[in-house]
Amino acid sequence: MSGADPALRLPPPLAAGAAALGTELPVIQAGMGGVATPALAAAVSGAGALGTVALYRSDRALALGLVAATARATPAVFGVNVIPEVAGALLADQLGAVLEAADRELVVNSYGLPPVPFARQVRKAGHRLMVQVGTAEDADAAVAMGARAVVLQGTDAGGHHLGALPVRQLLARTAGRRLGVPLFAAGGVHRGGDLLGLAALGASGALCGTAFVATEESGAHPAYRQALTVAGPGDTVMTDRFSIGWPGRVHRVLRSPVTEAAEPLPAHLIAWTTVMGARRPVPRGSAAAPTVEAEGRVDEMARYAGSGVGHVNAVLPAATVVARLRDELRGAIRTDAEAVGGTR
């Protein structure tokens, strides 16, 4: 695999996570709508982690193109992200496109529990089902429908939230259930050492979003990427102010005039963007993230970011982000081994 480093020896929990993904590193790039492009997914997968292309609200034709473009760009395993509660009736078409365009075994990553027939089709077609959840009970349900891996999303994560607990609390609550599949932590993970610490709590790896938004291959608007590089630990907030088009989910975003206003601001038109090839208006409070196609007041759009955004200080190639995680993890493993050896 491109980017593989035979010198990296993972501890058993992380090795199990990498095996579940079919990658060198047990790291998943989040499937962020409009941001997780084929170029980003291919770059991450080519560097040894699991890249993910987002289908979001894609129709069948667009989904076919996204999966096929990713497949052309990398020989490595990659993931495809779907959001059942947002896709609605499009979900069946998206899965049909995935199954038609796939030229290898894929990781089908569902944000939230998918319909049982969807899970059955994924498994029957020979692909790996991964489900992202926000509660221990939903983790049980994901395993019951055949998930090969479960992502535990904490409130530390950027984007919409599936639960109400920080990731380490959620991990502690879920790991003790011994579900028999690798658990991946999502929320505030930016450094290789974080992986080792999470492994001690029962995780087999991590899903990272914010770190990959601020990459050269990301589909995020340049102003959004730049805002991430200057944000500090206190510059994100949990809010419900970006619910148009995706109601009922609290989300973590960068602070802005929209989040800091004492009362919700009027849902006036603030920008334009492109969705499924068509130019569409963006009202204030829309769930749409500012992508490269956005024009207007992108600083008032939903700039999703996790609590660890302070670790992002430059827009880098995605392969560099993965390489840094690998090097930091190698260093953390070495330090841990030396500490253990020193106590003997």
Side-chain angles (χ1 to χ4, degrees), residues 8-180:
L8 182 62
R9 296 290 183 265
L10 297 172
L14 298 182
L21 301 177
T23 59
E24 177 211 357
L25 289 171
V27 173
I28 306 158
Q29 166 244 312
M32 303 159 286
V35 172
T37 62
L40 176 58
V44 173
S45 285
L50 184 73
T52 307
V53 64
L55 299 190
Y56 193 46
R57 298 180 186 272
S58 302
D59 60 17
R60 184 183 179 89
L62 183 54
L64 272 170
L66 291 169
V67 177
T70 309
R72 288 193 302 269
T74 179
V77 63
F78 64 91
V80 177
N81 177 254
V82 296
I83 309 175
E85 66 185 53
V86 168
L90 291 171
L91 184 64
D93 286 341
Q94 290 176 351
L95 179 57
V98 170
L99 300 185
E100 180 180 340
D103 63 352
R104 70 202 73 172
E105 183 181 23
L106 301 179
V107 178
V108 179
N109 183 349
S110 175
Y111 172 93
L113 294 170
V116 171
F118 177 100
R120 187 182 304 119
Q121 282 184 272
V122 170
R123 299 196 321 272
K124 184 177 180 180
H127 299 293
R128 306 184 190 201
L129 176 65
M130 174 187 296
V131 180
Q132 187 167 332
V133 301
T135 68
E137 293 73 22
D138 279 355
D140 290 342
V143 173
M145 67 174 59
R148 297 266 294 274
V150 172
V151 177
L152 302 175
Q153 184 209 45
T155 54
D156 337 53
H160 291 77
H161 292 163
L162 291 159
L165 293 177
V167 69
R168 283 166 175 77
Q169 289 185 34
L170 178 58
L171 179 57
R173 181 169 295 188
T174 309
R177 302 168 93 92
R178 302 187 183 280
L179 298 179

Side-chain angles (χ1 to χ4, degrees), residues 219-266:
H221 192 280
Y224 176 16
R225 285 181 275 183
Q226 182 60 29
L228 294 175
T229 68
V230 297
D235 290 334
T236 69
V237 62
M238 288 173 57
T239 181
D240 62 358
R241 295 280 173 92
F242 296 98
S243 60
I244 297 175
W246 195 341
R249 294 283 183 199
V250 173
H251 30 269
R252 185 178 290 278
V253 296
L254 291 178
R255 295 183 185 275
S256 71
V258 177
T259 67
E260 302 310 287
E263 299 291 336
L265 298 175

